[in-house]
Each structure stands twice: as C-alpha cells, then as structure tokens.
Amino acid sequence: MAASSDTASRPTALVTGASSGIGLAFAERLAADGYDLVLVARDRGRLDALAARLVADRGVRADVLVADLSDPVRRRAVEQRLADPGEAAPVDLLINNAGYATPGDFVDTPPEVLTANLEVNVGAVLALTRAALPGMQRRGAGAIVNVSSVAGFLPGRGSVYGAGKAYVTTLSQSLAGSAAQHGVRVMALCPGFTRTEFHERLGQERPGPAWLWFDADRVVDDALADLARGRVLSIPGAVYKGIYVASRIVPMGLVRKLAAATGRGRG
C-alpha cells in the first residue's frame, strides 16, 4: 500500500490490468484528475512502482491489490473490495480493463488456456461489475467502464477474443439503462488498435498502417470524455466509429468473408 494524507474529499477508482497499456494510462490520468486509486494486476513489482510514483507525483492514495483474475478464488479479494470496503473508501469508478488474448486458433489452444481467457475477459468483468454495482446504486452515484474492443463487432477467425468482447459490450449496454435510474453510469469502451504491449506478448507484429494505431492516452481521454457525456458506447477515432457503423449495415456473410481473408481476429 502507498498513501498520502487528506483523502476524505477525493473519489476512488479501481483499475484492473493497471500495470501496463490502457490500464496504466487510466491510472495515470485518474491520478492527475485527483482520484485515489486501487491498482489491480498480477505483477506486484510493477504495481508497487506505479503506486509509489503516483503518490510522489500526484499526492493521491494508491493501494495495490495483487490478483490473478483468471482464478475465481484469487479475484474474490477484488470483489470484496468493491462490494464491502469496510473502513476503506467505497469505489466510485470501476475500470474493468484487464484482458487476455491467445495467439493461436481455437482448435490449437489448450482447453485450460481457453478457460483462463474466458475467466479474465468475461468472468471477471461480470463478477466485478456485480460486486460494484449494488453499492453504487445504493449511494446513487458511480460509474463502471468495461474495456471491450472493436473486435467484438466483427467475427474473428478461430478466436475467442472477439466473442468475449462482444459479451462485454452487450452486458454493458444491457445494464446501462437500469443503472442510470439509480444515478450510475455503465459504459463499454471499444478501442481499435492501441499502442500497448498486447501484440508483443502474443509474439505478433502490429498489423495495419500506422494511422490505425492510437496511443493509450488518447483512448483514455476519449473514454472519459464520453463517460462524462453519458454515452453507453465509446469508440475512439472516426475510423473505428466507421467500422462499427459498417458492421451494422454490411451483411454479416460479407463481413465474415472479409475477416477470413484478412486474418483479423487472432488472439
């Protein structure tokens, strides 16, 4: 744990997958905006270093919660922090960012790896949203951002990643209306290609031209702006908004053929 004094007036955000990529960008931006933080990931070293830096640079409180979200038992501590914080401050903003991708086709991926993928991309989002939402609704305020992907709008080629992200987007849209009646916002963030460690960890080169790639800071800026506007779906960038619109209009059979031809959807 790392902390500063005078935390009573500051809101608290919990960010999963906070040690890198979009999660790291969320943590840095929210600290700059005056949020105290609960940082969740598997890598304690990275989390401790991030917490210490945010405390020193921003003067906020930054607590570290190490958890493997692919394991329902190990993620219970995160659920507990959201549902019943005890003497700690309640979480005002939940960023469900942690994600899991695999490089191979479905039939080439071991069942246990597919299960871990499902638990992180779907199970953890469901469990943490369920843990956070009742308290937010009782307090009449709060927000949940579930990080999905443009991949959820398009059929992948032999991959479960897009299927999981489609679930996250649909879940967020399904919950948004009822949550809003209690003063709580729920939004799905659906970025396209983002400059993170994602493809490096899969051993893949970054596909597509450079103009398709956004910095994580840009994605976070757009997401928080859309959240403030009350939007249920945030798609950073005109090109990806166009892809979303096209996916609603173009016949799905043609979309599947294009996905197969380009190899989109690995991971």
Side-chain angles (χ1 to χ4, degrees):
M1 174 187 294
S4 72
S5 59
D6 190 24
T7 64
S9 62
R10 290 197 295 265
T12 297
L14 186 148
V15 182
T16 69
S19 60
S20 64
I22 293 174
L24 174 60
F26 264 115
E28 292 174 336
R29 167 63 190 274
L30 293 171
D33 287 351
Y35 277 81
D36 288 333
L37 293 163
V38 182
L39 306 171
V40 180
R42 294 179 298 172
D43 190 328
R44 177 176 291 278
R46 281 191 173 192
L47 288 182
D48 285 342
L50 174 61
R53 177 164 60 82
L54 296 179
V55 170
D57 292 349
R58 300 297 183 181
V60 299
R61 181 184 181 96
D63 294 340
V64 166
L65 190 52
V66 179
D68 182 350
L69 298 182
S70 70
D71 186 336
V73 174
R74 295 181 180 179
R75 72 175 178 237
R76 283 177 188 164
V78 187
E79 295 175 45
Q80 181 69 22
R81 178 64 181 82
L82 291 164
D84 184 12
E87 296 181 0
V91 170
D92 304 286
L93 173 60
L94 167 63
I95 307 292
N96 269 320
N97 165 75
Y100 190 127
T102 58
D105 284 347
F106 180 85
V107 296
D108 298 325
T109 306
E112 62 272 17
V113 175
L114 293 173
T115 299
N117 181 295
L118 182 70
E119 286 295 341
V120 174
N121 292 346
V122 174
V125 173
L126 177 66
L128 300 189
T129 299
R130 178 60 180 83
L133 194 53
M136 290 181 177
Q137 292 189 165
R138 286 194 300 270
R139 296 188 296 273
I144 299 172
V145 175
N146 292 324
V147 180
S148 184
S149 173
V150 168
F153 302 133
L154 304 170
R157 189 182 73 175
S159 162
V160 295
Y161 181 79
K165 293 304 185 181
Y167 174 90
V168 169
T169 300
T170 301
L171 174 69
S172 303
Q173 293 173 312
S174 298
L175 295 176
S178 59
Q181 297 176 19
H182 301 275
V184 179
R185 291 165 292 169
V186 179
M187 185 183 81
L189 168 59
C190 301
F193 291 139
T194 307
R195 296 184 185 93
T196 67
E197 300 174 5
F198 183 87
H199 286 85
E200 293 175 12
R201 289 178 175 177
L202 294 176
Q204 297 176 347
E205 295 184 0
R206 290 178 178 174
W211 55 267
L212 279 176
W213 288 83
F214 291 179
D215 289 332
D217 289 341
R218 157 71 188 280
V219 170
V220 168
D221 289 346
D222 282 13
L224 293 177
D226 285 342
L227 184 65
R229 296 184 186 108
R231 292 181 177 169
V232 175
L233 192 63
S234 175
I235 306 173
V239 63
Y240 291 110
K241 288 181 174 68
I243 289 172
Y244 168 70
V245 172
S247 74
R248 308 295 97 178
I249 298 172
V250 176
M252 188 52 64
L254 178 58
V255 174
R256 282 194 292 267
K257 289 180 181 178
L258 290 172
T262 60
R264 195 221 62 79
R266 296 276 186 167

